[in-house]
Amino acid sequence: PIAFIPRGVRRELSISRGELDIDTSADCNHRTSPINVDEQPLTASIDGEGRLENVRIDARFRDGTPEYAHVSLDANAIPFRIPGALDLILAAKNIDLVLSPDTHVWQATGNVAIVSGEYTRNFDLTEALKPQPPKAAPAKPFWDEYPSIGNADLGLTLEVRRFAVKNNVAPGDGIELEGPHIQISGSPRDPRLAGTIRVQRGGFKLPGTRANFNKTTGTIDFNENEHASNPTVSIVSEATDYLDLSGQQHTITLTITGTLEKLNLDFRTNTGLDNSQTIALIFLGRNPEQLRRSLGDQSLGSAPTIQQTSTNPST
């Protein structure tokens, strides 16, 4: 086996099988090195996990810089992790990485699948439901070391087989999602996604409340004109068996719309409570009218002619 860590990548690539042909020639103080893998494709692993299979290479380097390259491969059970945010197991089929000798631009095509994965980044509930900023500075991206790869043209198809949100608002089994065909374009430096991921099932619970939203459906839509990290969300979830402190049962419906960076929340109940009244019910166990009666104060709360329309959960 040959094991090495590419500069700037911080991942060990270990080649365990295959045949690699290299032939270096010198001409006028320049060195040219054709590299070929064809008859016996390479098999490799990353950090001792997963497998890169059927790796074939046809490339030529001049003074250590690739002049052209064509790499094809399949992959199985490859880990991809962003601490505190993503934990994925990936597979790939018919991946082609091509460096054009005319444009000197890398192109990547093929099919990638998320076999299983979790989104674990917590949400900030103090002002609005939005992802918390990372606790640690992100790692230096590999394209700082390899700018040509960071600017590569992507033409990949992504299949989401099993993916779940598991964080401070989705404990336990979390919320399960899947998406058959997501198109990936742009570049590794600025990837763009187009397509829809469906929310299949699952539930969540807002910290500090007793409402258990256990019936969840909806979609997460990606637009290639927007950053991949800011999809449009349309989700409806129900808490079907919520009992207030007086013993009355409510079905609470929560509708989440907007983009991931700016979500809008709207609460309603089957008993006729509006957004602000439902928020009071969730956090206090009573709606404003019940709270007013329990305290014997006819003037407590909002004036009856004024309606609260804010969707800010802190309200």
Side-chain angles (χ1 to χ4, degrees), residues 11-195:
R11 306 289 296 274
E12 181 184 78
L13 181 65
S14 178
I15 302 174
S16 58
R17 187 179 303 171
E19 185 176 286
L20 181 67
D21 295 326
I22 304 175
D23 184 13
T24 299
S25 61
D27 181 19
C28 297
N29 298 321
H30 293 288
R31 290 190 305 172
T32 302
S33 301
I35 299 177
N36 183 267
V37 176
D38 189 19
E39 292 185 2
Q40 296 187 37
L42 303 181
T43 298
S45 63
I46 298 176
D47 286 344
E49 299 180 271
R51 288 171 66 88
L52 300 176
E53 300 175 315
N54 301 319
V55 181
R56 289 179 165 83
I57 303 173
D58 178 19
R60 184 176 67 234
F61 285 72
R62 182 174 175 83
D63 297 332
T65 301
E67 289 186 319
Y68 76 85
H70 181 194
V71 181
S72 62
L73 58 90
D74 300 324
N76 187 38
I78 300 297
F80 177 81
R81 301 180 180 95
I82 300 178
L86 277 177
D87 191 346
L88 306 178
I89 299 296
L90 304 174
K93 195 72 174 177
N94 300 325
I95 298 295
D96 276 316
L97 309 174
V98 178
L99 176 63
S100 169
D102 300 321
T103 63
H104 303 287
V105 174
W106 283 94
Q107 292 181 317
T109 59
N111 302 301
V112 180
I114 297 178
V115 179
S116 65
E118 294 181 0
Y119 179 87
T120 58
R121 188 173 178 180
N122 287 333
F123 282 87
D124 186 358
L125 303 177
T126 55
E127 295 183 359
L129 190 64
K130 60 183 180 181
Q132 290 181 347
K135 295 181 180 180
K140 180 181 177 181
F142 68 88
W143 53 76
D144 284 359
E145 192 72 44
Y146 307 99
S148 61
I149 297 179
N151 296 324
D153 291 332
L154 301 179
L156 301 169
T157 299
L158 173 66
E159 176 190 1
V160 181
R161 298 178 185 172
R162 183 180 177 275
F163 186 76
V165 176
K166 295 185 179 181
N167 55 14
N168 61 332
V169 299
D173 294 334
I175 301 172
E176 296 183 12
L177 309 96
E178 67 176 28
H181 298 99
I182 308 294
Q183 301 301 318
I184 303 177
S185 58
S187 66
R189 190 185 301 275
D190 183 20
R192 300 301 174 105
L193 276 63

Side-chain angles (χ1 to χ4, degrees), residues 210 242-248 250 273 276-296:
R210 295 185 298 112
Y242 183 83
L243 290 177
D244 64 23
L245 296 180
S246 69
Q248 183 178 3
H250 304 263
L273 301 183
S276 61
Q277 292 171 331
T278 306
I279 291 175
L281 177 70
I282 292 173
F283 283 91
L284 302 177
R286 300 172 179 174
N287 63 45
E289 177 65 21
Q290 291 172 328
L291 183 61
R292 179 185 62 77
R293 289 199 304 265
S294 70
L295 297 177

